[in-house]
Amino acid sequence: MPGFLERIAGKLKSYREPGYYTKLDHKWTMVIDLDKCNGCEACVVACYAENNLPVVGKEQCEKSRAFSWLRIERYVEGEYPDVKVKFIPVMCQHCMKAPCETGCPVYATYHNQDGLNVQVYNRCVGTFTCATYCTYDVRRFNWFTYKWPKPLEAQLNPDVSVREMGVMEKCTFCIQRIRSAKDTAKDEARPVKDGDIKPACSQSCPTGAIYFGDMQDPESVVAKLAKSPRRYRLLEELNADPSVIYLKRVMGDGTSSHE
Amino acid sequence: MKRRDFLKFIGIGGVGAGAGFVLGKVSKPPGAKLIPYLIPPEDIVPGVATWYASVCTLCGAGCGTLVRVMEGRAKKVEGNPGHPVNRGGLCALGQSSVQALYNPDRITKPLKRKGPRGSGEYAEITWDEALKTLAGNLTELKSKNESEKLHLLASPLGGTIDRLAGEFVSAFGSSNYSHYGLFQRKNLAFANLSAMGTASVPHYDIENTKYLLSFGADFASTWVSPVNYSNGYGKMRQGAGERGKLVQVEPRLSLTGASADEWVPAKPGTEALLALAIANTIVEKGLARDASAWRGVLSRYKAKDAASVCDVSVERIEAMAVEFARTRPSLAIAGDSVSSYENGVSGAIAVNILNQVAGNIGIIGGVMPNGDDLGNGKKIDFGRKISTLISAANAGKIKTLIVYGANPVFTTPKAARLEEALSKVPFIASFSSFMDETTAHADIILPAHTSLEDWGDDFPDPGVAAPVASLIQPVVGPVFDTKSLGDIFIELAKAVGGNVAGKINAPNFAEYLKASWKGLYSRNREMAAGTLGFEDFWNKALQRGGWWGPSRKRTATVSARAGEHLAGTPARFEGEEAQYPFYLIPYAQTAYMDGRGANLPWLQELPDPMTSVVWGTWVEINPKTAASLGLKEGDMVNIESPFGKISAPVYLYPGIRPDTVAVPIGQGHSHYGRYAKGRGANPIEILPFKEDPLSGEAALNSTRVRITRGATGERMVKMEGSTKELGRGIVQTVSPSEFKRMKKEVV
Amino acid sequence: MAPHHMSDNQTGNAISYKEVNDDVVRTMTETGKWYYIALAGAFSGFLAFWILPWAYQIYKGQGVSGLNTPDFWGIYLTNFVFWIGISHSGTLLSAILFITKTPWRRSIYRSAEAMTFFSVATAAVFIFVHMGRPWNFYWTMPYPNQRQLWLNFQSPLMFDVFAISTYATSSMIFLYFGSIPDLAAVRDRVTGWRKQVYSALALGWRGTDSEWHWLFKAYTFFAVFIIPLAVSVHSIVSWDFALSKVPGLAKTIFAPYFVVGAIYSGSAGIVTLMIIFRKAMKIEKYITLNHFDKLGMLLLVMSLLWSYINVIEVFTGWYANTSAENETLIYRMFTTPYAYMFWLMIVTNTILPLLFIFKKCRTSILACLVVSLGINVGMWLERYLILTTSLPRKFLPYMWHDYIPSWVEISMTLGSFCFFAMLFLLFVKLWPSVSIYEVKEDIGIPMRRGGGHH
Ligand code: SF4
Ligand code: SF4
Ligand code: SF4
């Protein structure tokens, strides 16, 4: 057989190996401990700062077009004085069976070899399908061209891509930080170590509620935390297989009533 | 070098290539004097980030920061993982300091007033002219022998710049240098002075405590040292040891209260009594560890008497007392719901007594008193109140007023008539970088750098039960035509001449600072250890962000002397209950704090964590109360106190007592840039002008209000759709007892 | 169905072949003042209500619409589905009726087919209107490119692109094939530039036996081909929604629901159009009450089917009894303003069409007009409700947010009707809008071989 045919045959064979389609280089995972999170929203600002999220103003906020890739959802139960308030940071869950990915006609959103759900801004034509299909409402759309008044634009992070009007965007797990950590590791001829990467939200969190790491590394903090009995995932019944794992908040029978 | 260091080291390559051209005014930092966090850059490498260690100065906590700089521009401010105060975290306000640096509404040049005072009409002048004008004014004062009539009013500064400012004023011949801020927490300091001998906030070891009884300390948001406490909180909840419990006593469920296991909505003004009743119950039940001095005083505060006054049941008081005393270690902290009253000092003392009785002082997981290890802490002069300044101005005792950092026009009630007093001051100079409400009254403005452009140092107060000295270094060149605050004083001293120039003779503030640190270094053996002389120490300190020593455990006893200041009665509120049925709780909002964050767009758009409201003010009303008043969410209402009225939209808030309403502080600016101006309302306006007579701290919770309809104003915009989880299992929980049975994850 | 000649109806005996030719060609050559006014009105409406706001939207961004997070789909897609629905019955009906050899089809099918084509065109424009970057629309086409970018064939939107372009092409060809003999007839009666144009369009048609034979073959082929196509197109459109996980959209019944809905609204559209058309063009002779009777029956059947599926849809949501489904249903059925729309839709689509049980109503032009207009309004509301009551109530209640259309969206909705009217007005002038040769068949004398009427 000529060489190139052999190569093709080899390739075809490898496609049939078990696990070929689910094999990843990494599986970046976030673990958020809801028992630590106190809802301070430092992470939200960190995400704004890191990812050049525009500020849209009051009128646009009223139309629910704020850009926060990461939001702290707050739920309230009960009436005075037995009020319970719960917080949960929600960003893109980087679903392994992402509903958003099936929607996009042009592959602007797809799964990469790191297990990330990535958004290719330049490929996006703005059909909104991904955002509609996303079960976590984390996608944000560039409704207009957003500009900072001078000199605020000096703050913009040059490491993240510019998004133009008409494209969809969302939390990237701070892919620029992942990339740079990989570059560094490559320069030093070593694999990426657990803890090399800290997304902006995780870095800033005063309570240390957000952990990040590679699920495929059994020694990583996230892999260990993922085994916690408190583990759950958001809307797990929808079977999107999210990569963000939450640890349940401890609350309940300690709260005695007013009387 | 740790793993993170690689990030700092390399910056992030690739994408930024091609930048580095046209840097304009935002050019490279004075590299020679700066030491980056890790390696010095050979020059500015396009696309490669350099990290500089510095200190966040947006609030008084003194969190260490790392600033990411690329092509001479500050990109991001992050917490310094090595810094003992914040250990890597940084709050929302601190992260926004880049937006203060690059704020489009900064004062870009020295200004001279054109129109009438307060009109905001100014003409640009040169630095020479500005310094000459101010120096001329000062020399005139001196020549008329009226040196004493110079007043300097600054925010609660600390460290070397504070010393320089103090030296300047005293060399000029005046003794009038005062600090003012809305949340100085002087009550805590005063209580500690009378109890433990130092006028500072101790270190609350939240990390190791197992039972945290917080009297309205909203440390998740802005209280005292939020990042330090939040870090401790995270470890208390899910750290190595057993999970600690948080109980929050406050009339309005704060952000911290939202995370509490129990919420005790005691009646406003009675929290101190509750604390004393708990303490007494501990004593009565024989659970006290050290009550010798307090038995007599406490016996007056019986749980059953307190119960009806505080609106907390006897059983609950007893249960709290038992749990507080039995859980080891436990910790009570005196937050705003006990110390923001007219007799706030008394409240803070009550909490000290509670800690003392339970034996929580000087133990791990309890109160750890801070000493002024480096001799450089903030010095609080309790006699210098804003009221003293106002009466001095009214009496014509102030001829020249220099303001920096403080914004009393915004943060004092209308009832204080501060503006009227200012109008009697012939000459006002401001060193502020922003056109805030006070600066708008200035005759001349000499804009100082923001902290990312300036040199400085910080000795965190409260400390962390260890000596800490942090350094602030300029991470970027000046964005506008502003000057270092220290340099303004130094140049002014030169221009005034005479003994002022003689006393302050440093070439510039950077040198002054270094000399000051040299002194520190020579006095302190710990600092000197392991360094090759001062230069080496200095470079290392610049690189790490400062110097910090090992933790020290101190102990103290709350002396019986403290009891002198114990009022033992509920705090007073202005306004008759019949006419003004609701207590008003103005509180520091997470993002705006005392209003200083309102000009930063990220913070305006940050949904308030408890209400999700953005870009505005709101008034929190219990849904039941609202229903009885016929109000629904979003209705504009007037909030009227005997001292004035503001209007705000209603937010239905189940976490507030039905007899209480709460309004966040921070909005309602009449100046302060495009993002802040003309937005929302300022609840401070309608407060009575009351200070704690001992400490001088403003009494925020001191009036009742009534709510009336018929107001007009901006709509309320909130980000939340619904607050109901509808059984969808979004935030899942386990009960504490279930949790105890669970296997702990080992990380 | 047995061949059936309309011998005793109002058309039958009174008209001659010549008259047919004259009448139809007259609609094309003689142009009254009102026609121009109508055309000018439609054209300026199209410009003012559609093109200008659209240009504004392209310049400023999608933000000028009322879309928001999470209501990313609003009126634009409502209109898209609505117009696709309208398009449905034209060609589909024509094809089905052709295959089943229903004689009353003849005088209406041409304009029905045209309607299909125009509404597909209108719908297609709405795809571009709703896109964030419409200038990149060609990225949704599979074309070889240097960067080796390929399309996501899993995406129901991709199915859409293929389905709709196929559908538009086929219905255009179907329309054209059927018109060739008539174009030839027109060619023979006009002069000047018209002659040139129609000569070209008629492809040299001479009317020989073999020509008739081949035409008929091709026509039949297309008729057979287009029926499954039409069904699949609307199924695919429904999958845009049904393949999501959104409560209220993720329904397995959506494909038949949409197909039925499409035929339903399409037939109603035809009825409305016929009424206007026969009045305006004074061709009551060709579009008779008999036609309305038959269409009325069709509407009645469709209404029953549609109502059944609608009940099932609500029932399954209710039966599932998940919080997400319940909230969506409550929002749709009992929350203002959507409750008004929902119950209005029930009235117009389920209750009013029951009038068609009575022949009297089926043959009353007024009743037909009222009911068909009602159905169209109702069907538009149905599409509107599907999107605007599902997306605002997705899974995370914190993100719930209502959708309020902006003036731009409302204007473009109006504009789309103007656009459609404009195309139709142009059509009646430029194309024989009633099939000349087939109407002649009705008159009785067979004139071609290979037809089915012997
Ligand atoms: S920064 Fe941390 S504690 Fe604060 S809201 Fe975010 S996750 Fe929660
Ligand atoms: S959370 Fe939403 S955007 Fe992110 S991967 Fe899942 S479906 Fe896609
Ligand atoms: S991982 Fe990065 S992009 Fe995602 S929420 Fe956190 S900071 Fe934002």
Side-chain angles (χ1 to χ4, degrees), chain A residues 30 43 46-47 50-51 69-70 91 171-174 199-202:
Chain A
M30 200 173 259
C43 48
C47 188
E50 174 75 13
N51 294 299
W69 284 0
L70 164 58
M91 70 285 280
C171 157
T172 60
F173 267 4
C174 286
C201 50
S202 153

Side-chain angles (χ1 to χ4, degrees), chain A residues 91-95 98-101 117 130 133-139 170 240:
Chain A
M91 70 285 280
C92 171
Q93 308 282 305
H94 291 269
C95 314
C100 58
E101 286 168 21
N117 167 270
C130 54
Y133 283 17
C134 170
T135 41
Y136 303 97
D137 297 328
V138 296
R139 289 180 162 260
K170 57 155 198 98

